[in-house]
Amino acid sequence: MLTDMLIRIALAGVLGGLIGMERQMRAKEAGLRTHILVAIGSAMFMLVSKYGFADMLNDQHVSLDPSRIAAQVVSGMGFLGAGTILIQKQVVKGLTTAAGLWVTAAIGLVIGSGMYEIGIYGTVLALVVLEVFRRLSHLLIGKHHTIVVFLKAKSVPLVLLVLQREGIRYGHITVVNRNPETGLCELSVHVTLSHKTKDAHLYEKVMEIKGVQSLELI
């Protein structure tokens, strides 16, 4: 029984590490070590939940609910996942990594309960979603970016006109006055760039507009 428990913990760490490796290769907020620790911890919580109180079951007026500790892992992962979500220039980032940590915790719980096939199957599906679906999304839909332009206020409509002419889909627009005296402001535009869009070409078109001082693609 002890050997089986040790195997469950090790396997959970390996499966969590596979997801963490993919996240670290993408330079995300939570990487290899974080995912391994989440998977190992979840598996250990599951083992404690199932077997940790067996010596107390013979006592009178004592009953065991093996799901109580495991259930707390699900809610507790919300706090850890929230730590990976960042807001940069009004753009939310880290949601996929937070979801990956949540799935990793589920894999740890599944392996800890002894359902090896389900845990391995879940890991394979998670990797397919993170890698294969990412490429399909970029190919069919495009990549989401934020264009940040420092320019004169009167040049804002011209920048948006260039985006329309280039066939670039854009969404939320924010204009912040940085220097009322000089008329300089910061324009932030959420855009979706297809694989056909050339960053250098877009940069040249925007920088040609009179009043534009700088452009940054995030």
Side-chain angles (χ1 to χ4, degrees), residues 19 23 35 38 77 95-105 107 130:
I19 298 177
R23 292 286 83 192
H35 283 77
V38 167
M77 280 307 302
L95 290 175
T96 302
T97 300
L101 286 172
W102 188 56
V103 172
T104 301
I107 291 171
L130 289 172

Side-chain angles (χ1 to χ4, degrees), residues 124-150:
V124 172
L125 283 184
L127 291 174
V128 168
V129 170
L130 289 172
E131 186 61 28
V132 177
F133 279 54
R134 180 188 66 85
R135 296 186 180 185
L136 285 176
S137 175
H138 291 171
L139 181 62
L140 300 177
I141 302 176
K143 295 182 180 181
H144 299 296
H145 295 277
T146 300
I147 294 179
V148 181
V149 187
F150 285 92

Side-chain angles (χ1 to χ4, degrees), residues 45-62:
F45 277 124
M46 192 68 210
L47 289 172
V48 170
S49 188
K50 288 187 68 174
Y51 310 111
F53 308 100
D55 58 329
M56 301 177 59
L57 291 179
N58 295 327
D59 295 344
Q60 293 183 350
H61 309 297
V62 174

